[in-house]
Amino acid sequence: MTKNTSIASLGEFGLIDRLTENWPSFQPSTLKGIGDDAAVIAAGDQVLVVTTDLLLEGIHFNLMYTPLKYLGYKAVVVNLSDVYAMNALPKQITVSIGISSRFTLEMVEELYQGIRAACEKYQVDLAGGDTSSSLTGMVISITALGTAAPGEVTYRSGASPNDLLCVSGDLGGAYMGLQLLERENEVFKVNPQMKPKLEGFDYILQRQLKPEARYDIPGIFKNLDIRPTSMIDISDGLSSEILHLCKASGVGCRLHEDKIPYDEQTRDMALEMNINPLVAALNGGEDYELLFTIPIADFDKVKNDTDITVIGHMTRPEDGAMLVTGAGALIPLVAQGFNHLSK
Ligand code: ADP
Ligand code: MG
């Protein structure tokens, strides 16, 4: 009997698990396959990390308000972020594009100006790719390659109970930037004469349209003399990423609501739109900050660092993955994230 299981019921991660479960490995050089921000491959006295991301028009980006130049930049950055999340340094990218007849040479050149700007900023080389026509819309797939010393690679799986949970930068900004762009786009669709009201929100708009990867974090770790025990980048929202760390490390966690760092513009826009900034941080995603754990003995090294905030700690697995609210209540963290497959 043929079954017709809906993919939406599995969700993105359920589908990946289902497709790849019991997958055999033939090469001893594959140190880490599926299940982290990047695969890790032995290559002489170094390891190679490899990560790939697929961006689809209408799912991941809206060209009504996304300049192609920024889109090209962001498409590179989101991949580099996964390389930094392994505590590795990105070196090369490949870029594959699908374009429909709606796009002109000038438009694709603009996309590539953004790709080039990111290559220059992060000092990575464009090493190849593939080009195809598409029936509708634009498709961009980028693969990033990076290197690290074997002992330096940081996986999702190294956290222990009592480790401190830390995050770089601030959260929720990209989501509030997206809400602002979506709102102004709706206004524009009704009345194209209306000028979009975007003044005063340059930071959250930049967080959404032209994010940066935390290339500075490996240097900060060196300066502070810390070695994260586990790490992941925040692409799908804090909840989902914390649950990845907990699952891969076999631990639970306590995330403290009142420790989550926000920028003032994120708070202001959340207030204006009647959205709890906590929701933007937990479920919004696309912040491309790094989430990592460190031994509790390293607290003094990070406590005064303005780039790093301690937002909680890991626990025994039986204690669950919990948000501790400002009022002291415990609420289980759930992975909502950007689950495109269930939309
Ligand atoms: P990230 O959010 O860091 O980009 P993902 O959540 O997309 O990572 O992917 C989780 C893991 O599953 C990664 O190791 C990725 O390489 C792997 N993966 C995702 N999709 C597929 C697929 N279709 N086939 C095989 N592996 C996949
Ligand atoms: Mg990632």
Side-chain angles (χ1 to χ4, degrees):
M1 196 175 78
T2 51
K3 284 208 249 166
N4 291 302
T5 310
S6 90
I7 286 177
S9 70
L10 286 168
E12 179 183 343
F13 301 122
L15 175 65
I16 297 170
D17 285 350
R18 186 63 184 263
L19 294 177
T20 59
E21 73 188 350
N22 299 320
W23 201 275
S25 176
F26 303 107
Q27 301 292 339
S29 56
T30 309
L31 303 179
K32 176 78 200 179
I34 293 158
D36 217 299
D37 288 306
V40 181
I41 296 161
D45 54 0
Q46 291 257 298
V47 297
L48 196 62
V49 305
V50 185
T51 177
T52 194
D53 261 304
L54 177 63
L55 299 178
L56 303 181
E57 184 179 356
I59 304 281
H60 301 95
F61 57 90
N62 183 341
L63 292 176
M64 285 287 288
Y65 53 75
T66 310
L68 283 161
K69 198 172 169 178
Y70 287 173
L71 177 63
Y73 193 91
K74 179 171 175 176
V76 176
V77 162
V78 302
N79 275 279
L80 303 186
S81 178
D82 278 320
V83 174
Y84 293 116
M86 304 302 293
N87 204 24
L89 297 177
K91 299 288 167 70
Q92 288 87 17
I93 57 166
T94 65
V95 176
S96 300
I97 52 169
I99 34 177
S100 69
S101 55
R102 184 174 120 235
F103 294 94
T104 62
L105 166 67
E106 287 70 23
M107 291 164 91
V108 184
E109 277 182 334
E110 201 192 318
L111 178 80
Y112 266 70
Q113 280 170 18
I115 292 173
R116 186 181 180 128
C119 286
E120 284 170 1
K121 162 101 185 176
Y122 293 90
Q123 299 279 292
V124 298
D125 291 334
L126 174 63
D130 198 16
T131 306
S132 168
S133 55
S134 102
L135 278 182
T136 54
M138 181 181 274
V139 180
I140 308 169
S141 174
I142 297 190
T143 296
L145 298 117
T147 58
E152 305 251 285
V153 178
T154 309
Y155 295 94
R156 294 178 178 179
S157 55
S160 306
N162 297 323
D163 280 358
L164 298 176
L165 181 66
C166 307
V167 69
S168 65
D170 56 78
L171 300 178
Y175 180 77
M176 291 320 305
L178 179 63
Q179 298 310 306
L180 174 59
L181 287 163
E182 291 278 352
R183 181 183 78 183
E184 295 307 309
N185 190 39
E186 289 306 312
V187 173
F188 177 83
K189 282 198 279 192
V190 176
N191 183 357
Q193 264 37 275
M194 287 278 279
K195 269 195 70 162
K197 283 196 282 233
L198 303 171
E199 300 81 38
F201 291 104
D202 49 324
Y203 178 71
I204 57 171
L205 290 170
Q206 181 244 310
R207 295 288 280 174
Q208 171 56 224
L209 292 173
K210 189 174 176 281
E212 302 290 353
R214 293 308 302 250
Y215 66 89
D216 55 329
I217 292 294
I220 291 175
F221 289 156
K222 279 212 173 72
N223 288 342
L224 296 175
D225 187 31
I226 52 178
R227 255 267 12 227
T229 50
S230 69
M231 186 151 61
I232 187 169
D233 75 323
I234 302 184
S235 51
D236 292 341
L238 187 58
S239 278
S240 166
E241 313 302 358
I242 288 178
L243 290 170
H244 282 314
L245 290 186
C246 288
K247 189 176 173 203
S249 297
V251 295
C253 103
R254 291 280 184 281
L255 165 68
H256 289 269
E257 174 180 13
D258 51 15
K259 300 228 165 78
I260 299 174
Y262 302 103
D263 183 81
E264 213 176 293
Q265 287 186 13
T266 305
R267 287 186 197 278
D268 289 350
M269 188 43 60
L271 191 69
E272 192 175 316
M273 293 198 174
N274 214 357
I275 295 172
N276 186 341
L278 176 67
V279 173
L282 290 182
N283 303 333
E286 296 199 287
D287 284 316
Y288 300 105
E289 295 294 341
L290 294 175
L291 178 74
F292 56 94
T293 54
I294 57 170
I296 192 165
D298 285 341
F299 176 65
D300 283 339
K301 296 180 185 170
V302 297
K303 69 177 183 198
N304 293 321
D305 193 285
T306 49
D307 288 302
I308 295 174
T309 311
V310 178
I311 55 174
H313 65 275
M314 309 322 264
T315 62
R316 293 171 305 164
E318 55 270 30
D319 297 331
M322 299 285 181
L323 172 75
V324 185
T325 69
L330 291 182
I331 299 174
L333 289 169
V334 281
Q336 270 154 347
F338 272 161
N339 203 333
H340 305 294
L341 296 177
S342 62
K343 264 188 194 157

